[in-house]
Amino acid sequence: MAAAAVSELGGLGVPDPDGGGSSGSEEEARPGAAEAAAAQRREERLRKFRELHLKRNEARRLNHQEVVEEDKRLKLPANWEAKKARLEWELKVEEKKKECAARGEDYERVKLLEISAEDAERWERKKKRKNPDLGFSDYAAAQLRQYQRLTRQIKPDLEQYEKLKEQYGEALYPTSDSLLHGTHVPSKEGVDRMVADLEKQIEKREKYSRRRPYNDDADIDYINERNAKFNKKAERFYGKYTAEIKQNLERGTAV
């Protein structure tokens, strides 16, 4: 009976004298826990927001730095990177030459000792492909090839240049009023170099002939020069097809 009465009172909303205090304390603790969770979530969002803000500032700084570097690169000449690499390589070569000279060694021999066989073969193939001699096409092309060959051989003597600069001063640089005829006396080394180059040109020119030598032992199958040229063209295009017929005619066994 007592248990039934208690259950009826609980159904009517009357607090249980034994358990009423514990339910009230739980209800009071729930708002505090919710506020703590909300504050923790707010701190987490603020922390993420600060991290995003720092990342945005870092990205902005890096973008500005890249823009400045790109502007510097655009203001440089088009082939600046190639020139820079070339100058750095020349400086290394000069330092290597000085080191070899200090040790009393030949730089060319030391350089060849450091080159592998594969690199040497690749450079030789590249050298053969560079500016190949395709034969005579016209006089302008031949003159251009000769000019390029001579200019590649020029090696300026800076010491002699400095001496002439000290000797003549501003007169070393001619103007429209300068008289240059008969004032320059070439050195003995320059004359010897020119003579050696001319002899080399003459020797090379003797190896070429505009007219092919006549072969006395060749078969005469033409009646004049024009017919000989025609026969050569015909032989070049149809010789492999008529070789057997020609041999039969020569042997007298043609059907």
Side-chain angles (χ1 to χ4, degrees):
M1 294 293 292
V6 170
S7 62
E8 289 179 2
L9 291 175
L12 294 174
V14 179
D16 188 6
D18 297 332
S22 61
S23 62
S25 61
E26 290 178 359
E27 291 178 357
E28 291 177 357
R30 287 174 184 172
E35 291 179 0
Q40 185 178 2
R41 287 194 298 271
R42 183 168 60 252
E43 289 295 332
E44 186 69 20
R45 293 194 189 99
L46 290 175
R47 184 180 63 80
K48 290 182 178 179
F49 179 75
R50 285 193 295 270
E51 291 178 356
L52 291 175
H53 186 71
L54 293 176
K55 289 181 179 179
R56 185 188 65 177
N57 291 338
E58 182 68 16
R60 184 182 299 170
R61 184 183 65 81
L62 294 175
N63 288 337
H64 179 72
Q65 184 177 352
E66 289 295 329
V67 169
V68 172
E69 293 295 330
E70 184 178 2
D71 184 64
K72 290 181 180 179
R73 289 194 298 268
L74 291 176
K75 290 180 180 179
L76 293 173
N79 57 346
W80 167 250
E81 294 296 334
K83 284 184 176 180
K84 182 180 178 182
R86 179 73 180 181
L87 292 174
E88 291 177 354
W89 176 78
E90 289 179 355
L91 288 175
K92 291 181 180 178
V93 169
E94 290 296 330
E95 292 178 358
K96 191 71 174 178
K97 286 182 178 180
K98 291 180 181 179
E99 293 177 0
C100 293
R103 295 195 301 264
E105 298 176 348
D106 186 6
Y107 170 73
E108 296 297 332
R109 292 178 61 86
V110 174
K111 183 178 69 173
L112 292 175
L113 291 174
E114 297 177 355
I115 297 175
S116 63
E118 295 179 355
D119 293 339
E121 291 178 359
R122 184 173 67 253
W123 289 341
E124 286 296 328
R125 290 195 299 268
K126 185 177 180 181
K127 189 185 297 182
K128 290 180 180 179
R129 291 196 303 266
K130 186 178 180 182
N131 196 17
D133 189 359
L134 303 177
F136 180 82
S137 58
D138 53 23
Y139 289 101
Q143 185 179 10
L144 177 60
R145 287 180 57 81
Q146 177 75 353
Y147 171 77
Q148 291 176 347
R149 185 182 67 82
L150 294 176
T151 51
R152 283 197 302 268
Q153 293 179 357
I154 295 177
K155 295 181 180 179
D157 189 354
L158 299 180
E159 295 181 359
Q160 183 67 18
Y161 170 73
E162 293 295 335
K163 291 180 181 179
L164 293 175
K165 187 176 179 181
E166 293 176 0
Q167 182 179 357
Y168 294 103
E170 293 297 330
L172 182 63
Y173 308 102
T175 62
S176 58
D177 300 328
S178 300
L179 182 62
L180 300 177
H181 181 70
T183 59
H184 175 68
V185 179
S187 62
K188 184 178 182 302
E189 292 79 6
V191 174
D192 294 340
R193 187 168 58 250
M194 182 189 68
V195 171
D197 184 73
L198 290 175
E199 291 177 351
K200 189 183 298 183
Q201 292 183 33
I202 294 172
E203 182 182 357
K204 185 177 180 180
R205 196 179 297 119
E206 290 177 352
K207 297 179 181 179
Y208 295 95
S209 176
R210 293 176 61 86
R211 183 181 179 88
R212 289 185 174 85
Y214 177 74
N215 186 7
D216 295 331
D217 298 331
D219 294 334
I220 299 175
D221 57 355
Y222 55 88
I223 58 176
N224 53 31
E225 191 71 22
R226 183 177 180 183
N227 181 243
K229 293 180 180 179
F230 176 80
N231 292 343
K232 288 180 180 179
K233 290 182 181 179
E235 179 68 22
R236 185 165 62 249
F237 289 103
Y238 304 106
K240 61 182 180 180
Y241 304 109
T242 61
E244 185 178 357
I245 298 174
K246 186 176 181 180
Q247 292 174 2
N248 292 334
L249 290 171
E250 291 176 353
R251 289 194 301 265
T253 59
V255 178

